[in-house]
Amino acid sequence: MGIGKRIGIMGGTFDPIHFGHLVTAEEARINFELDKVIFVPTGKPPHKKDYEVTDSEHRYLMTALATNNNPFFEVSRIEIDRKGYSYTVDTLNQMVQIYGKDTSLFFISGADAVLDILTWKNIKEVLDICTFIAATRPGYPINKLKDKLEEIKRLYGKDVYLLEVTAIAISSTDIRRKVKEGRSIKYLVPEGVEKYILKNGLYR
């Protein structure tokens, strides 16, 4: 790797990955002049989900299918192959080992996740390693988020950058529900992901 690379890291369960994730990653890449964005499907999420998370191999393969036509996107197995819970701090430390300390890491996250950021494991270390980009959508209630960003700045002296992403109100929860109800998910996910979900009987 050359000196001074700027790499975006986009973590998530991606259950399933959809166009909202892809648009967010591309807008972050352009706005923050990133050399590439690495998608990191979660292995075993430490925060309990209110549904059973789909097997990690399915989620990895769907993410690979969704990103394979963008030369600036990659998918990493770091968290999937790691035993135990997936913590962002461990992933970031591994990324530093892989890409070197001259690389600037940008962690791309949804605004809702940023509201919980102070509960994350070793958050001071996380904020020292990377710059956070909080993606919002038009109409998002921004005041609560701004209060949280001011608190992060006060406690840790770190800025979190806001990125308003084109209005794509798509959620993985809605996609799973549509599949379960036998409704169409066309134009919500890339065609390859739609075919993979149907072929493997996911979310039924």
Side-chain angles (χ1 to χ4, degrees):
M1 297 293 297
I3 289 176
K5 288 274 186 183
R6 295 165 67 86
I7 294 178
I9 296 169
M10 191 160 185
T13 46
F14 302 126
D15 194 13
I17 191 167
H18 54 66
F19 281 125
H21 296 127
L22 299 170
V23 169
T24 299
E26 183 69 358
E27 295 215 4
R29 184 183 75 79
I30 292 164
N31 281 277
F32 290 86
E33 299 178 335
L34 306 178
D35 293 292
K36 64 179 172 181
V37 176
I38 302 172
F39 289 74
V40 185
T42 327
K44 189 177 179 186
H47 302 289
K48 191 172 184 293
K49 297 284 183 184
D50 53 8
Y51 70 97
E52 191 173 337
V53 177
T54 305
D55 180 78
S56 58
E57 287 299 331
H58 282 311
R59 293 184 290 106
Y60 171 80
L61 288 168
M62 285 191 286
T63 307
L65 284 167
T67 56
N68 68 1
N69 64 351
N70 187 326
F72 300 104
F73 287 175
E74 289 180 14
V75 186
S76 169
R77 294 184 60 92
I78 277 181
E79 292 197 0
I80 286 172
D81 291 340
R82 185 189 303 138
K83 302 244 186 299
Y85 288 115
S86 294
Y87 291 105
T88 301
V89 66
D90 299 327
T91 300
L92 290 171
N93 276 314
Q94 273 188 269
M95 290 290 185
V96 171
Q97 287 174 7
I98 294 166
Y99 294 105
K101 292 187 176 177
D102 290 328
T103 297
S104 300
L105 298 178
F106 293 79
F107 194 89
I108 306 160
S109 177
D112 291 337
V114 172
L115 292 175
D116 294 329
I117 196 174
L118 295 178
T119 67
W120 291 18
K121 181 184 175 185
N122 296 11
I123 186 56
K124 183 180 185 307
E125 188 179 354
V126 167
L127 291 166
D128 283 341
I129 296 171
C130 72
T131 299
F132 262 80
I133 300 170
T136 69
R137 58 193 174 274
Y140 187 87
I142 207 79
N143 288 341
K144 190 176 176 186
L145 181 61
K146 282 188 172 171
D147 289 344
K148 181 61 68 176
L149 302 193
E150 285 172 14
E151 185 181 1
I152 293 165
K153 178 78 169 175
R154 191 176 71 250
L155 291 173
Y156 298 106
K158 301 290 183 181
D159 288 310
V160 174
Y161 294 94
L162 289 178
L163 174 69
E164 187 172 277
V165 176
T166 317
I168 294 192
I170 304 174
S171 83
S172 296
T173 305
D174 288 341
I175 291 167
R176 290 194 301 273
R177 185 169 64 241
K178 283 182 190 301
V179 173
K180 190 173 183 182
E181 293 170 356
R183 292 156 65 198
S184 171
I185 56 169
K186 196 174 285 298
Y187 311 124
L188 299 178
V189 298
E191 186 180 5
V193 174
E194 180 191 12
K195 286 179 176 174
Y196 186 94
I197 289 168
L198 297 174
K199 179 185 174 187
N200 289 279
L202 301 183
Y203 313 125
R204 291 290 182 188

